[in-house]
Amino acid sequence: MLGVTDLSTYLAGLALIILLPGPNSLYVVSVAARRGARAGYRAAGGVMCGDMVLMVLSAGGVASLLQASPAAFAVVKFAGAGYLTWLAVGMLRGAWRMWREREVRAAARAEGEPARAEPAREEMERPYRRAFVVSLLNPKAILFFVSFFVQFIDPAYAHPELTFLVLAAWAQLFSITYLTALIFSGTHLAALFRRKRRLTAGMSAAAGTAFLGFAAKLSVSSA
């Protein structure tokens, strides 16, 4: 069909790959839990746009360039690892602030003083832009797209670009379905997180630690 050699196998492999946890899905569910479904969908939009850019770059041969040039791969790799580390530090600092605010509010209640509202730093967060950059600065994803897609493209088909679009459309459909499930699972937890500052701080700290792990894994990866 439209140059796709084995659609059922492609869809099965795609489902397994998308279900694997990674920085994109972790960031989306974190945003949805902290700020609600609308912000979660903005983050999901950033992930999908970033993935689409990577798919187009893969089709254009950038993946082959990264494989052939260790220096180029190293530049992209360490840029991605550095950005993930920056995000992780921000999450850990946010968790520490929430923990301190919880102690201040508890002390104020004990003394009978009204708790002062702290400025909402989360309002300055731009979920779409962050998710887009997290998705884009991932050289392993570029290499994955070109190595996975090529297995299902019929070389005899007259319009391989159409085959690529079909495969990319299926990938995006699976991605938005999975991210939607994450967003709504996150929003169900949002009310609980708003009441339990300790739980919110713990989640932010766990997400920041996971992002540090992703950064370390990316920095030691090879083309």
Side-chain angles (χ1 to χ4, degrees), residues 23 60 100 112 159 166 172 187 192 200 203 205:
R100 293 295 301 166
H159 303 287
V166 171
Q172 294 288 49
T187 53
L192 176 62
T200 307
M203 178 185 174

Side-chain angles (χ1 to χ4, degrees), residues 2-71:
L2 298 176
V4 181
T5 58
D6 191 347
L7 182 60
S8 59
T9 301
Y10 169 74
L11 295 180
L14 189 64
L16 291 174
I17 291 162
I18 288 177
L19 288 174
L20 290 175
N24 293 346
S25 57
L26 178 61
Y27 182 67
V28 170
V29 74
S30 173
V31 169
R34 289 183 287 111
R35 301 183 56 186
R38 182 175 297 181
Y41 273 111
R42 286 200 294 270
V47 169
M48 296 184 68
C49 289
D51 283 349
M52 195 66 225
V53 170
L54 294 184
M55 293 179 200
V56 173
L57 291 176
S58 299
V62 173
S64 299
L65 173 63
L66 290 178
Q67 284 180 314
S69 173

Side-chain angles (χ1 to χ4, degrees), residues 125-145:
E125 182 181 6
R126 294 176 173 83
Y128 174 86
R129 187 174 67 181
R130 284 197 175 187
F132 178 78
V133 177
V134 168
S135 179
L136 197 60
L137 287 177
N138 190 352
K140 301 300 287 185
I142 302 177
L143 300 179
F144 158 73
F145 283 128

